[in-house]
Amino acid sequence: MQDSRKYTGIVEDCCCDYETVDSVNGAVLHPLLQELVTTPFFRYFKVKLWCDCPFWPDDGMCKLRDCSVCECPENEFPEPFKKLMQNQNGLPSDDLKCQEGNPQGAVDRTLDSKAFRGWVEVDNPWTQDDETDNSEMTYVNLQLNPERYTGYTGPSARRIWDAIYSENCPKYTSGEICQEKRVLYKLISGMHSSISIHIASDYLLDETKNLWGDNLELMYDRVLRYPDRVRNLYFTFLFVLRAVTKATNYLEQAEYNTGNLEEDLKAQSLMRQLLYNPKLQTACPLPFDEAKLWQGQSGPELKQEIQKHFRNISALMDCVGCEKCRLWGKLQVLGLGTALKILFSVDGKNHPNQPLQLQRNEVIALMNLLNRLSESVKLVHEIGPSVEKTMEGFTSEPGSQEISLWQRVWEAVRGLHIPRVIHPST
């Protein structure tokens, strides 16, 4: 595998190389993040699901029931949440339908009034949603609503990405655009690549059998065949990682309190293990150097322009016609917005009296986004070279029409003993 590495050297515009990213991610970040996001504190995300698209009539169509999001029954989240949600009606009952038929998916109900104390309600200047408007928010258990293929395709889905790139994030060519605008494009492209990888790696292979697994052809077609998309994925991962490490003092001292002492201590311990991991600090102490941006007289004006573009991208998430896609789109855009807020909206040198303040929801979005990016980087590293080699071999050979290209790719990669598991949906 190492002999066929396609991506080597320093990740463009970052301070860490591909080999180090793959090593540290596989050994440290991925296992820690996978465990962290399953703890009660990081499991719930507050989101405004029912929104009118501000740009065009919402005509999105979904083919599968997996488009829909399971909102949490009222007795599943802490008492303080209920007060925040008192103006909201129609919460579904606590039954197995809401748990997608999986009783193990239910959250521990031993939560008390101390849950999430000490967290502020402040709006994020980089995103469109008013995160303090609790009357329109609902709480969703992310573990019961995984990011996966939903059948959301066609013009409605394409129009979202077209609007993001053409109106708010024009593609750049080398030397024709400033670094700050290039950063915005690469962040969106990297997030887009990550989303595509998750859809391809948790794909509905056979609807009649409810069989889910890897669609390697789709992964190749959407991401792996485009080196710039893979590079932008690594860039976005390092950018978000830098935001997390920059917020170390805040994240270490935050109260991850849900009333479940054992799980809360676990969340706090995992967070500290991530923030102070010696291997990460030694191998990649500064993943991205934000100090290089916004220099010169036009810096403040440029920041306002890019902030406006990102807010528009955030608003476009209300136009996503699939609930589950909207949920994960909003979460990941808020995660990126939180990273931008950490790196660019609080400057300790120029504004020492402006301390970093994050909402609970921002921290949840930030860490879940980092986990999503970590998963994508790991997948690209582990199976990317084999998929590329196999696909390139098949596309150069006259294949049998009796067997789909995806089946041939899967069988070839499986023959290389790469441990990817096809599993039924729960």
Side-chain angles (χ1 to χ4, degrees), residues 216-247:
L216 301 175
E217 182 184 5
L218 183 68
M219 191 181 299
Y220 176 80
D221 192 53
R222 295 271 185 92
V223 180
L224 297 177
R225 68 186 296 184
Y226 302 100
D228 62 312
R229 296 181 185 180
V230 175
R231 294 189 185 103
N232 292 340
L233 167 64
Y234 276 79
F235 172 84
T236 305
F237 178 52
L238 288 174
F239 184 94
V240 176
L241 178 61
R242 167 55 185 156
V244 170
T245 59
K246 185 174 183 178

Side-chain angles (χ1 to χ4, degrees), residues 300-315:
E301 197 174 303
L302 184 60
K303 184 185 290 187
Q304 286 188 347
E305 179 186 350
I306 292 180
Q307 191 174 79
K308 178 182 176 182
H309 284 312
F310 193 84
R311 285 175 65 87
N312 285 341
I313 292 170
S314 172

